Amino acid sequence: MIASLFIPIFLTVPFAYSGASDSGFQPFDLGEVVVSADREREKNIAITNEITADDIKATNSHTVAEALSRAPGVRVTTGAKNQATVSIHGFDQSQILFMIDGVPYYETKFGILDLNSISTDNIARIEIIKGAPSVLYGANTMGGVVNIITKKPTEKPFTSASFEVSGNDTYRASASHGMKVGMFHYWLNYMYEKSGGWDLSDDYPVKEGTLTDFHEFPYNKTTSAKVFEDGGKRYNSDYETQNLSGRFGIEPNKDSQYYMTLFYRTKEKGVPSNTEGNQVWARPVFSQFYASYIPDYDEWGVDLDGRQRLSDKLVLKGKLFYHRHKDSLYAYEDPSLDDVLAKSHYKDYLAGGSLIVDFQPVSWDSVRLGLSYRGDSHKEVADEYLPYEKYRSYTGSIGLENEFTLIKNLTVVAGLSYDWYEVTEAKRNVTSTETATYGDYLGQEDLYQPNDDDINYMIGANYLFSDNTKIYASAARKSRFPTLRSLYNKLDANWGDPHLKSEKSNNYTIGASRPFGSFMRADFALFWHDIKDKISSTGSAKTGDYHPINIDGVRTIGYEAGVELYPVDKLILRADYTYTYAKDRSEDRVSDDVTGIPRRAFNLSAQYTLPSVNTKMDFNGSYVSHVWTNVTPGQEDSLDSYWLWNAKVTQPMGKHVEFYVAANNLFDNYYEWGDGYPAQGRSFWSGVSVKF
């Protein structure tokens, strides 16, 4: 195993493109959590990848999920509910804190949201911080932080628009406008996309799956063979989405910044069925729906941001936010989508704020205090004949951090936080289990309401040599409180445990980066994660006890490495390689293997701009090795490894217009995101963009 860690190092590279573009916008600087002007930040002691707006454009990534799929150590899949999910170094999306401009972004039951609902049109860059994020980010950063930084205007007025088309009556339109007038700023963006669905690979193997029907009564089970997908256009894969956002700000002077951001996102989408097996359950629960549709997946909110320098030594930065989310899932009797079996709904809101105090008593030392607090409300109903179940919780964090540079070129950062979590309301519906009245509403019961707390820390250092070689190392203890789904979800009598403990991980990283003149840059980083009290959703297969349990312990070790080359003018070559070795070390384990973590992953890309005509050609490829999806003895399953290639050609016409064509999955390779969830086949896009 040790040998295989180091054999492929020569093949590796950083992800982000070099250099800045004349884009007409700049990153929203209040979107960063850590405030320390002109000084090193915590992300320089951790493994950090940055996806810029130029990267997004070069890969023709329309959503945050698509943009993240090209980052080292990141795996993006789509499965149940037709929802994109992200994992980093084996940490699932609920174990990673996702933020937009420093504000937490999630749905309160599962702790995640569909990142395909967030358009990239308004994004300046995406920061991925692994291993040792600052304690100032707050709670639930066990696997790291992904912070999406949006755009704000420069001194020059800016307007852009684009229109794209693809197969199956798919089209996409977007427009942005921003301007700074004296002390006033504003930035507006709108995106609309509609599609009749997407095509499977021509190599898709048509096969029979299993339909298990508990519809009449849960113990009167019928099982039949059925073909859920016969190839061509993926059944029930149509969608329609809109994103609208506006930011308005005032900067009276260089020491004062105040902004308000408004956003609205809505999506309607089909839910393609699993191709291997589906179940239809008796009321009120319809899980693994055979045919279902999400008629609304909506979010709206308002964020307030402020930064005020009180003196040369003291800066305050604050945020307030209020977000609402709702989504519905309609389950149908059959693929005709005529007869509705059930209509389930979620209604959520989260509200809170944060305050960071940055005090610099001397030139070489900075002390930061961070406070964050938010409340979550979740309401759900499995079918409309029932009242809403109600859940409410609160999460808070107090963090203290010290950054000092007493020795030239050496930065040391240490932080400590106290995080807490409390459920204050948990009411669940009780329904009849009697044969004649099965599913009838009987009332609501109050459930156990847990509270938990953790102390987390991080410490790290980086040193910059005279030749711009940088080395860094860090150690951190990070945790994640259980989600409402883990605590309370009830699909059967064994699911959900309100007594679960928080998950913890000891994270260690060490890395280096170095430029080699003006033609090459290389990066290398080792990581080690020891996870304790990991929440296993499948429980113990040995004992047959399938409710969520805390297990000890899972260990993940590996490395990321990368190289970026500039062999000739206007040619950029890059590649990155991630090796991840994960082992289940818990006492009740049924296998040493861990599901959902590819052992090896490559990203390769090339960009070349033809002289004179300025045609820009972008090519990128990615490789993912096989992934375990089930390690139960006698039924071990895995996904095959695959290569995926994409390309884009862009032709500018003068200063203001560009035409482009793009191909995703260029060679139409067949692969699966998960068991029974085939991925998209080849697709082509063509478009035009204007800016002035």
Side-chain angles (χ1 to χ4, degrees), residues 194-309:
K194 187 174 183 178
S195 175
W198 46 268
D199 292 328
L200 292 162
S201 167
D202 288 342
D203 294 330
Y204 171 73
V206 178
K207 56 187 175 183
E208 285 190 337
T210 302
L211 176 61
T212 305
D213 193 345
F214 297 94
H215 184 201
E216 296 300 325
F217 184 70
Y219 307 110
N220 184 20
K221 181 176 74 171
T222 62
T223 302
S224 59
K226 199 167 188 67
V227 175
F228 294 104
E229 181 59 67
D230 56 7
K233 187 174 75 171
R234 180 72 155 113
Y235 171 71
N236 210 20
S237 62
D238 57 305
Y239 61 88
E240 182 176 10
T241 183
Q242 296 185 75
N243 281 207
L244 176 64
S245 64
R247 172 173 294 123
F248 309 91
I250 180 172
E251 297 185 7
N253 53 61
K254 63 182 181 64
D255 295 328
S256 303
Q257 297 174 271
Y258 298 96
Y259 281 85
M260 177 177 68
T261 302
L262 305 169
F263 70 86
Y264 173 70
R265 305 183 188 96
T266 181
K267 190 165 190 174
E268 178 182 350
K269 59 181 178 179
V271 181
S273 63
N274 189 293
T275 61
E276 295 187 356
N278 293 275
Q279 296 177 339
V280 181
W281 291 76
R283 68 171 193 161
V285 177
F286 295 82
S287 67
Q288 295 181 316
F289 300 102
Y290 172 45
S292 53
Y293 202 81
I294 295 178
D296 52 64
Y297 190 93
D298 303 342
E299 304 125 34
W300 67 267
V302 56
D303 300 337
L304 301 176
D305 293 89
R307 179 182 182 274
Q308 181 66 54
R309 178 175 290 277

Side-chain angles (χ1 to χ4, degrees), residues 414-663:
L416 185 70
S417 72
Y418 172 71
D419 306 333
W420 69 93
Y421 173 73
E422 179 183 16
V423 177
T424 59
E425 184 178 22
K427 293 182 180 295
R428 184 166 63 192
N429 291 329
V430 179
T431 56
S432 172
T433 58
E434 299 295 326
T435 302
T437 60
Y438 192 88
D440 284 359
Y441 175 68
L442 300 178
Q444 288 191 329
E445 61 178 339
D446 289 318
L447 303 176
Y448 174 73
Q449 299 161 19
N451 61 75
D452 198 359
D453 56 21
D454 275 313
I455 294 177
N456 291 310
Y457 72 87
M458 52 84 71
I459 185 169
N462 72 69
Y463 185 80
L464 184 65
F465 292 89
S466 58
D467 62 356
N468 288 323
T469 299
K470 184 182 77 171
I471 59 172
Y472 61 90
S474 63
R477 182 190 186 273
K478 297 292 180 178
S479 61
R480 207 297 175 204
F481 296 117
T483 63
L484 288 175
R485 180 177 186 266
S486 297
L487 294 173
Y488 298 118
N489 200 44
K490 186 180 180 181
L491 295 180
D492 57 58
N494 293 325
W495 188 269
D497 184 355
H499 299 279
L500 289 169
K501 296 181 287 186
S502 62
E503 301 174 290
K504 297 99 176 171
S505 181
N506 292 319
N507 302 330
Y508 309 96
T509 61
I510 184 170
S513 65
R514 182 185 177 184
F516 293 86
S518 59
F519 68 92
M520 176 178 167
R521 188 171 75 95
D523 300 88
F524 179 77
L526 292 165
F527 57 85
W528 180 303
H529 307 298
D530 271 327
I531 304 171
K532 180 182 179 183
D533 293 328
K534 176 179 171 65
I535 296 175
S536 171
S537 60
T538 57
S540 172
K542 277 188 175 180
T543 63
D545 186 10
Y546 285 99
H547 69 78
I549 60 173
N550 292 109
I551 63 172
D552 290 322
V554 174
R555 173 172 293 172
T556 303
I557 62 174
Y559 71 85
E560 292 181 11
V563 153
E564 187 165 285
L565 300 169
Y566 320 96
V568 297
D569 187 37
K570 299 184 182 299
L571 175 63
I572 304 173
L573 303 174
R574 65 185 61 78
D576 63 68
Y577 176 84
T578 303
Y579 178 91
T580 309
Y581 178 79
K583 182 179 180 181
D584 188 341
R585 303 165 66 238
S586 58
E587 289 186 7
D588 244 0
R589 68 184 182 273
V590 295
S591 172
D592 290 343
D593 295 315
V594 179
T595 60
I597 306 177
R599 182 70 60 89
R600 298 174 177 85
F602 287 97
N603 288 301
L604 307 171
S605 66
Q607 182 184 90
Y608 183 63
T609 304
L610 294 173
S612 302
V613 294
N614 292 323
T615 303
K616 184 180 293 184
M617 298 182 294
D618 289 284
F619 302 93
N620 61 84
S622 57
Y623 168 82
V624 177
S625 66
H626 93 281
V627 177
W628 290 108
T629 56
N630 185 356
V631 292
T632 304
Q635 193 179 352
E636 294 186 346
D637 301 306
S638 66
L639 303 177
D640 293 335
S641 60
Y642 64 88
W643 274 100
L644 188 66
W645 295 95
N646 303 320
K648 182 180 181 182
V649 178
T650 305
Q651 179 60 59
M653 303 294 289
K655 294 182 178 180
H656 305 294
V657 181
E658 287 184 340
F659 294 93
Y660 53 91
V661 293

